[in-house]
C-alpha cells in the first residue's frame, strides 16, 4: 500500500487539538473509574506494603528503600492518585517513590530544537508532537525560543499526533518537510515500519531523536550511587509500554548488575501498588528478579517483529540527554541504507558530538537532577515561582509527562484523601 | 509519552490498521506487531499511532492468574489467608473480563471503561 491510498483516510485532519491529549483525558477518566471499582484490591495492596515496610524497618532500622519509577506515566499515576501520600497515611516512612528519566521530551537536547526552529524559518515545514511545540530552547533562534514562537512569527510548524499523519500531510503539499522524531522504544516501530512499507514521501525527512530506556536506567542507577551519603535505588518500576517492544528480558541486566528487583508494571494505581509490594517482598526475601506485572500487554521476549523492524532501519548510537550529557548506546540513528530519509544528511545538520555538547538547561533549572532521581521538583527554587505550567522555564515543566508539570498540576496529594477514605485509612 | 490508548481494529490494509478508540472515528495506525496476529475486532493498545500490543481475552485471563498468584504469595508472606486474597482478586477482576468481552462485541462504553 502506498501513501496515495492514505490520502483519503477518514480520521480527522491533523490539528492543534492533539489526538493523544484528548484521548489521554478520556483515559484518565477511565483509569479513575476502573480504580474506584477495584478499591478493595487497593486496600489489600496498601496493607501488604505496610506490613513489608514494617518488617523491613524491624530488620534494617531507618534505612530508606528508594523505588524508582522510570516512566512519566507511572509518575502521573503516583501523583494523580496521591500514592505517596496514601503510603504516608498508612504509616510507611521507609519507602520512597522516586521519579526517573521517563519523559523523552524533557531529555531532548536544546540543540536539536534550535536546529528545527532554524529550518522552520528557512521554509521547511516542521512536524512535531504537541508536547514539543512549547518546549523552550536554551538559545533564541531569530527571536524564537520555541517552535510555538516560531509559528507565531510565521514559520510553518504543524502539530500532528503520529508520523503517519505527517507522511499523509507532507505528500499533499510536497514542500521540504521535517519530522521531529522524539520518543522512546515505543515510537520506533512506527517510524521503521512506515519507512519499510514505503509510506514516507520523498519530501519528508526524519530527525531521529529516539532514545533507549535501559541504558538511561543504568546511568540513573549509577548516578545515585555516586553520592555515598544518599540511599541507592533499591528497586525499579520498569516502563510498561516500552516493555511491550523490548520485553521483560531487557531489564534482566539491571536486576542482575545492581542486584535489585525490577517489576514491569501497568499504569493503573493498582498496577503500581502491586509493583511496590512485589519489590518490597523481594527485598525482604533477598531476591532480585525481573517480574512482569503487566502481563496483559508485555511478554518476556517483547515483540520480536517490532525489534527486527527497528534493527533493520536503525542502529544504536551514543546520544545526548538534555542537561545530563552523553549516555553510551542510548539512541537510534537511521542506518546508512536509509539515509534518504535522514533529516541530518538531507538538511546538512551537523550532528551533536560529545565534544560539542554543552550543558543545556536554563540557569537554576534542576531538570537533570529531577530526571536522574537526585532531586524532587520542590527542591528547585524556581518551582511554581518563576517556573509554572503557563510559563515553563525548564523542559520538565512543559511535557504532560514531565515530572515538574505533573507535580505542578496535582500538588503532592492528588486524590490521596479520597483514595485513603476508600481503603479505610482516613 | 507512555500513554497508549485502547482501541478496536476496524479494518486492516497493507500494514495500516484503522482503529477506533471508542469515539466512533477511525484513525490509521501503523501495525507495530506481527500483522498475522491481528484481526478485525481485536482490542489493541495504540501509542503515538503505533499498535504496540494486542489485548486479548487470553492475556487478560493470564493477567488475572498472575494477580491471583501474586496476591497469594503476598498474603502468605504476611501471614494472611492466600485463598481469601486470591478470591478478592477474582471477584474484582471478573468485571474487567466482562468489559473486555463487551469490547470484543463492539460496545464502546466498555472500551472507555477498560483503561
Ligand atoms: S521547576 Fe522548572 S526550572 Fe525547576 S527543575 Fe522543574 S522545569 Fe526546571
Amino acid at each position: 500500500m502506498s501513501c496515495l491510498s492514505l490520502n483519503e483516510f477518514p480520521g480527522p485532519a491533523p490539528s492543534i487539538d492533539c489526538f493523544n491529549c484528548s484521548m489521554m483525558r478520556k483515559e484518565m477518566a477511565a483509569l479513575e473509574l476502573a480504580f474506584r471499582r477495584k478499591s478493595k484490591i487497593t486496600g489489600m495492596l496498601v496493607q501488604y506494603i505496610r506490613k513489608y515496610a514494617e518488617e523491613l524497618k524491624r530488620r534494617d532500622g531507618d534505612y530508606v528503600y528508594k523505588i524508582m519509577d522510570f516512566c512519566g506515566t507511572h509518575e502521573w499515576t503516583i501523583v494523580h492518585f496521591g500514592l505517596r501520600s496514601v503510603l504516608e497515611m498508612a504509616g510507611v516512612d521507609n519507602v520512597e517513590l522516586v521519579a526517573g528519566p521517563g519523559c523523552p521530551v524533557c531529555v531532548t537536547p536544546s540543540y536539536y530544537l534550535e536546529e528545527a526552529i532554524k529550518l522552520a524559518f528557512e521554509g521547511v515545514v516542521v512536524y512535531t508532537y504537541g508536547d514539543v511545540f512549547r518546549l523552550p530552547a536554551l538559545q533564541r533562534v531569530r527571536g524564537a525560543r520555541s517552535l510555538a514562537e516560531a509559528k507565531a512569527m510565521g514559520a510553518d510548524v504543524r502539530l500532528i499526533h503520529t508520523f503517519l499523519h505527517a507522511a499523509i500531510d507532507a505528500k499533499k503539499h510536497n514542500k521540504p518537510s521535517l519530522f521531529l522524531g522524539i520518543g522512546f522504544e515505543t515510537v520506533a516501530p512506527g517510524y521503521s515500519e512506515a519507512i519499510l512499507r514505503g509510506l514516507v514521501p520523498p519530501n519528508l525527512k526524519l530527525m531521529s531523536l529516539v532514545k533507549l530506556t535501559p541504558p538511561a536506567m543504568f546511568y540513573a542507577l549509577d548516578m545515585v550511587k555516586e553520592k555515598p551519603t544518599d540511599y541507592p535505588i533499591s528497586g525499579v518500576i520498569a516502563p510498561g509500554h516500552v516493555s511491550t517492544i523490548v520485553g521483560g528480558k531487557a531489564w534482566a541486566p539491571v536486576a542482575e548488575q545492581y542486584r535489585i528487583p525490577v517489576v514491569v508494571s501497568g499504569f493503573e494505581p493498582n498496577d503500581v501498588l502491586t509493583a511496590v509490594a512485589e519489590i518490597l517482598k523481594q527485598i525482604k526475601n533477598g531476591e532480585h528478579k525481573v517480574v512482569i506485572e503487566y502481563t496483559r500487554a508485555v511478554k518476556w521476549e517483547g515483540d520480536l517483529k517490532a525489534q527486527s523492524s527497528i534493527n533493520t532501519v536503525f542502529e544504536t548510537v551514543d546520544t545526548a540527554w538534555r542537561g545530563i550529557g552523553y549516555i553510551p548506546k542510548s539512541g537510534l540513528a537511521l542506518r546508512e541504507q536509509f539515509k534518504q530519509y535522514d533529516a541530518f544528511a538531507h538538511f546538512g545538520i551537523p550532528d551533536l558530538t560529545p565534544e560539542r555538547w554543552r550543558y543545556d538547561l536554563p540557569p537554576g533549572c534542576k531538570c537533570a537532577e529531577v530526571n536522574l532521581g537526585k532531586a524532587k521538583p520542590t527542591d528547585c527554587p524556581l518551582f511554581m515561582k518563576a517556573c509554572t505550567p503557563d510559563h515553563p522555564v525548564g523542559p520538565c515543566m512543559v511535557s504532560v509527562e514531565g515530572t515538574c508539570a505533573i507535580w505542578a498540576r496535582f500538588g503532592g496529594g492528588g486524590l490521596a484523601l479520597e483514595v485513603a477514605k476508600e481503603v479505610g485509612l482516613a | 509519552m507512555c500513554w497508549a490508548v485502547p482501541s478496536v481494529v476496524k479494518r486492516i490494509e497493507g500494514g495500516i490498521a484503522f482503529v477506533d478508540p471508542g469515539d466512533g472515528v477511525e484513525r490509521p495506525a501503523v501495525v507495530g506487531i506481527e500483522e498475522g496476529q491481528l484481526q478485525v475486532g481485536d482490542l489493541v493498545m495504540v501509542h503515538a499511532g503505533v499498535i504496540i500490543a494486542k489485548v486479548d481475552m487470553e492475556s487478560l485471563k493470564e493477567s488475572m492468574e498472575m494477580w491471583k498468584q501474586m496476591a497469594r504469595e503476598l498474603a502468605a508472606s504476611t501471614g494472611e489467608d492466600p485463598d481469601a486474597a486470591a478470591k478478592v482478586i477474582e471477584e474484582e477482576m471478573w468485571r474487567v473480563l466482562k468489559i473486555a468481552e463487551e469490547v470484543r462485541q463492539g460496545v464502546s462504553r466498555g472500551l472507555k471503561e477498560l483503561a
Side-chain angles (χ1 to χ4, degrees):
Chain A
M1 178 177 191
S2 75
C3 272
L4 266 178
S5 47
L6 273 173
N7 279 340
E8 304 303 325
F9 80 97
S15 74
I16 295 244
D17 184 20
C18 162
F19 162 82
N20 270 338
C21 297
S22 67
M23 279 306 119
M24 238 193 277
R25 280 193 289 275
K26 270 192 199 167
E27 199 183 347
M28 284 174 192
L31 264 169
E32 279 188 42
L33 201 75
F35 167 66
R36 290 244 154 81
R37 299 200 180 156
K38 282 183 252 161
S39 57
K40 236 179 169 178
I41 299 179
T42 312
M44 197 166 90
L45 291 168
V46 171
Q47 289 312 325
Y48 292 139
I49 293 172
R50 165 152 69 186
K51 286 190 183 168
Y52 289 131
E54 278 168 2
E55 242 177 88
L56 288 171
K57 196 165 199 160
R58 274 197 294 277
R59 189 182 81 184
D60 304 328
D62 288 336
Y63 191 90
V64 176
Y65 288 96
K66 280 189 175 173
I67 297 175
M68 181 178 270
D69 59 275
F70 185 93
C71 182
T73 313
H74 283 143
E75 183 61 19
W76 181 89
T77 300
I78 289 168
V79 176
H80 181 75
F81 292 95
L83 299 185
R84 286 190 182 90
S85 307
V86 169
L87 294 188
E88 224 171 82
M89 285 183 232
V92 177
D93 58 3
N94 56 339
V95 175
E96 195 186 317
L97 303 180
V98 179
C103 164
V105 178
C106 306
V107 292
T108 295
S110 179
Y111 167 78
Y112 297 110
L113 203 55
E114 290 158 20
E115 290 297 314
I117 297 172
K118 206 186 286 170
L119 287 170
F121 279 128
E122 285 167 10
V124 174
V125 181
V126 174
Y127 292 97
T128 178
Y129 297 125
D131 279 14
V132 190
F133 190 54
R134 290 194 316 137
L135 189 64
L138 190 67
Q139 291 173 359
R140 285 185 186 276
V141 181
R142 296 202 207 165
R145 205 166 76 104
S146 64
L147 285 164
E149 287 183 14
K151 186 180 174 78
M153 292 161 73
D156 196 347
V157 179
R158 304 186 188 186
L159 288 168
I160 36 82
H161 38 79
T162 74
F163 187 41
L164 211 48
H165 281 99
I168 292 160
D169 194 59
K171 184 158 175 66
K172 283 184 199 154
H173 59 63
N174 212 19
K175 293 181 201 152
S177 306
L178 167 89
F179 182 84
L180 209 58
I182 283 173
F184 289 142
E185 289 90 335
T186 25
V187 296
Y191 302 156
S192 57
E193 279 300 299
I195 286 175
L196 289 173
R197 289 175 188 274
L199 298 171
V200 185
N203 60 322
L204 177 64
K205 306 297 169 191
L206 172 69
M207 188 193 251
S208 171
L209 301 174
V210 179
K211 297 209 175 326
L212 303 174
T213 47
M217 175 61 75
F218 272 96
Y219 192 83
L221 293 173
D222 275 339
M223 280 298 116
V224 181
K225 262 184 19 186
E226 240 181 24
K227 249 168 97 187
T229 48
D230 213 347
Y231 296 106
I233 298 295
S234 300
V236 169
I237 302 174
H241 289 142
V242 161
S243 301
T244 61
I245 309 294
V246 300
K249 69 170 194 285
W251 306 102
V254 174
E256 211 33 64
Q257 186 164 325
Y258 295 90
R259 305 186 72 76
I260 56 175
V262 178
V263 180
V264 178
S265 168
F267 300 95
E268 284 191 51
N270 285 341
D271 289 321
V272 174
L273 289 172
T274 307
V276 173
E278 168 67 24
I279 287 169
L280 295 181
K281 185 189 89 187
Q282 287 195 33
I283 294 173
K284 179 181 91 82
N285 296 342
E287 297 168 319
H288 55 274
K289 295 185 289 194
V290 177
V291 168
I292 300 173
E293 183 276 342
Y294 197 27
T295 49
R296 56 194 188 271
V298 177
K299 306 269 172 285
W300 180 254
E301 288 301 322
D303 197 297
L304 297 176
K305 185 220 165 188
Q307 288 165 21
S308 103
S309 156
I310 295 169
N311 287 337
T312 305
V313 173
F314 294 104
E315 59 185 334
T316 310
V317 290
D318 300 348
T319 200
W321 293 57
R322 189 164 184 177
I324 294 171
Y326 267 74
I327 302 183
K329 303 248 173 286
S330 68
L332 291 181
L334 284 164
R335 286 185 188 276
E336 192 57 43
Q337 61 265 44
F338 297 99
K339 275 284 180 271
Q340 77 259 37
Y341 299 102
D342 191 354
F344 291 104
H346 182 79
F347 295 112
I349 308 166
D351 204 354
L352 203 51
T353 58
E355 297 74 44
R356 289 181 56 229
W357 183 80
R358 55 186 156 72
Y359 184 81
D360 57 354
L361 288 173
C365 173
K366 282 185 174 291
C367 274
E369 284 99 320
V370 169
N371 281 331
L372 290 171
K374 294 203 285 187
K376 301 183 189 78
T378 43
D379 295 336
C380 174
L382 307 183
F383 182 71
M384 294 315 275
K385 295 190 179 85
C387 184
T388 63
D390 285 340
H391 296 284
V393 173
C396 304
M397 190 58 95
V398 176
S399 161
V400 285
E401 299 225 324
T403 304
C404 295
I406 297 171
W407 283 50
R409 251 178 304 148
F410 303 118
L415 297 174
L417 253 184
E418 281 178 51
V419 176
K421 265 186 211 145
E422 279 176 45
V423 303
L425 285 172
Chain B
M1 284 296 285
C2 273
W3 287 101
V5 183
S7 307
V8 172
V9 177
K10 287 297 181 72
R11 57 197 171 92
I12 307 167
E13 282 171 28
I16 302 297
F18 289 81
V19 298
D20 174 0
D23 61 1
V25 182
E26 288 179 19
R27 289 141 170 113
V30 176
V31 182
I33 61 174
E34 201 70 64
E35 198 177 330
Q37 285 180 12
L38 214 58
Q39 282 178 356
V40 170
D42 279 350
L43 178 62
V44 291
M45 302 298 279
V46 182
H47 170 86
V50 188
I51 294 176
I52 56 166
K54 183 172 137 179
V55 185
D56 53 18
M57 290 299 274
E58 215 43 49
S59 56
L60 279 175
K61 280 180 187 150
E62 244 176 61
S63 272
M64 183 159 94
E65 283 312 311
M66 196 276 324
W67 270 54
K68 274 164 67 181
Q69 183 55 27
M70 241 180 199
R72 275 203 188 93
E73 280 180 29
L74 291 170
S77 70
T78 55
E80 281 163 63
D81 181 0
D83 289 339
K87 199 161 163 260
V88 172
I89 302 280
E90 183 143 12
E91 278 172 5
E92 301 283 317
M93 289 292 282
W94 75 264
R95 199 188 61 85
V96 176
L97 292 174
K98 200 172 137 244
I99 294 172
E101 192 58 60
E102 281 177 8
V103 168
R104 263 170 29 131
Q105 291 160 10
V107 183
S108 64
R109 187 183 57 81
L111 181 62
K112 283 178 196 162
E113 284 191 40
L114 187 71

